[in-house]
Amino acid sequence: MRQVLAFYLLYLKMLLAEKIALIWSVIFPVVIALVFQRGFLNDATDEKEIVQYISSFWVFIIISTYINGIGLQIARIREYGLLKTYVMITGNRYTFLTAILLTQISFGAISLLLFTSIVSIYYRAFSFNLLLSSLIVLLVSFPLAIASVSIAAIPIKFNNLSTIMNILVYPLFFLSLNSRSSNLLNYVNPYYIIHEITEIVINLLMGIDYTYNFYLLLLSILLYLVVGLFIIKRFNLLSLTSR
């Protein structure tokens, strides 16, 4: 437990010191919401449209945190040859990976609270239930955080892997926004899964009605969890460029 806490504090300090991470996770979504998409919210006629718009950014923030902060971060550490060293120091791979997961969940929570507070106050839609909803969505989607470790298991050099993952981010995000049916293929898309989680949480906490398939959602979350745990146990700790 002490080792987990030590790694957690170390990476949290490093993460909070990185301005790029803050810009990508908070400032960029705020600028999009308040500047480039301002006309949409100005034309919103009810609370549901405003909340739905704000919550769509939660999905982007959470997935970006998981991909860049967990999957690609672990791949980067492995590429530098440090992952094997950390595992040897701690005695197992779970201590270090747990610290990374907790660090990114903490950073994700900070990003969600900042973004939601800024945008909801600007559009006079602020409520503590809205803030609480964003945090619950983050916690419920934790199995996808575990599954994001799978990115580091892909046998591709880090630079190529980073490029591929960041190219995939946008089409998957927009596909999830435009595909609002209970098609089985939609539940492979992590963006769509978090959209569904968001709608359930908002429905329960804020009384806003949405249509969702609870059982397909639960099944997809469990499958992501199982796949993530399986790969964590088996993925290669050694760098792909140096041995």
Side-chain angles (χ1 to χ4, degrees), residues 118-163:
I118 293 169
V119 177
S120 63
I121 288 173
Y122 184 86
Y123 287 102
R124 299 179 181 178
F126 177 85
S127 74
F128 288 106
N129 276 348
L130 188 61
L131 293 180
L132 181 60
S133 295
S134 69
L135 295 180
I136 293 176
V137 170
L138 178 66
L139 293 177
V140 175
S141 66
F142 185 71
L144 275 73
I146 295 175
S148 67
V149 177
S150 305
I151 295 171
I154 300 174
I156 301 175
K157 292 183 179 180
F158 173 74
N159 288 338
N160 296 331
L161 180 61
S162 178
T163 300

Side-chain angles (χ1 to χ4, degrees), residues 5-6 10 13-14 24 29 46 68 104 114 121 133 142 146 162 180 203 223:
L5 181 60
L10 171 64
K13 290 178 181 178
M14 291 172 60
W24 183 253
D46 56 27
N68 293 291
Q104 293 303 325
L114 286 173
I121 288 173
S133 295
F142 185 71
I146 295 175
S162 178
R180 306 309 299 152
N203 176 258
L223 285 175

Side-chain angles (χ1 to χ4, degrees), residues 19-227:
K19 294 181 175 61
I20 297 298
L22 185 63
I23 290 172
W24 183 253
S25 298
V26 181
I27 297 177
F28 178 67
V30 166
V31 170
I32 294 295
L34 298 185
V35 179
F36 295 104
Q37 296 293 327
R38 183 177 180 179
F40 176 86
L41 282 179
N42 288 339
D43 295 335
T45 58
D46 56 27
E47 181 190 19
K48 180 177 180 178
E49 290 185 0
I50 295 175
V51 171
Q52 186 176 35
Y53 180 76
I54 292 174
S55 64
S56 67
F57 283 91
W58 298 349
V59 181
F60 178 81
I61 291 171
I62 292 172
I63 292 293
S64 295
T65 299
Y66 291 168
I67 290 176
N68 293 291
I70 298 175
L72 292 179
Q73 174 72 353
I74 294 172
R76 183 187 296 111
I77 293 171
R78 181 190 64 183
E79 196 81 347
Y80 292 157
L82 296 174
L83 186 56
K84 182 69 174 179
T85 302
Y86 289 154
V87 171
M88 290 177 62
I89 291 173
T90 59
N92 63 80
R93 66 181 64 195
Y94 302 107
T95 298
F96 173 72
L97 293 178
T98 298
I100 289 288
L101 288 168
L102 292 177
T103 300
Q104 293 303 325
I105 289 295
S106 298
F107 183 76
I110 293 170
S111 300
L112 288 170
L113 291 175
L114 286 173
F115 170 82
T116 304
S117 296
I118 293 169
V119 177
S120 63
I121 288 173
Y122 184 86
Y123 287 102
R124 299 179 181 178
F126 177 85
S127 74
F128 288 106
N129 276 348
L130 188 61
L131 293 180
L132 181 60
S133 295
S134 69
L135 295 180
I136 293 176
V137 170
L138 178 66
L139 293 177
V140 175
S141 66
F142 185 71
L144 275 73
I146 295 175
S148 67
V149 177
S150 305
I151 295 171
I154 300 174
I156 301 175
K157 292 183 179 180
F158 173 74
N159 288 338
N160 296 331
L161 180 61
S162 178
T163 300
I164 292 171
M165 294 309 302
N166 282 291
I167 288 175
L168 288 175
V169 162
Y170 296 102
L172 288 176
F173 177 60
F174 288 112
L175 185 63
S176 72
L177 292 177
N178 297 319
S179 301
R180 306 309 299 152
S181 64
S182 294
N183 188 311
L184 283 173
L185 290 177
N186 286 333
Y187 289 91
V188 177
N189 184 349
Y191 284 97
Y192 187 87
I193 293 172
I194 299 182
H195 264 302
E196 292 273 281
I197 294 173
T198 299
E199 292 180 350
I200 292 175
V201 172
I202 290 175
N203 176 258
L204 293 175
L205 266 68
M206 305 188 69
I208 298 177
D209 292 329
Y210 290 102
T211 301
Y212 47 81
N213 191 318
F214 176 79
Y215 296 105
L216 278 178
L217 176 63
L218 180 61
L219 178 61
S220 62
I221 291 173
L222 290 176
L223 285 175
Y224 265 96
L225 177 62
V226 170
V227 169

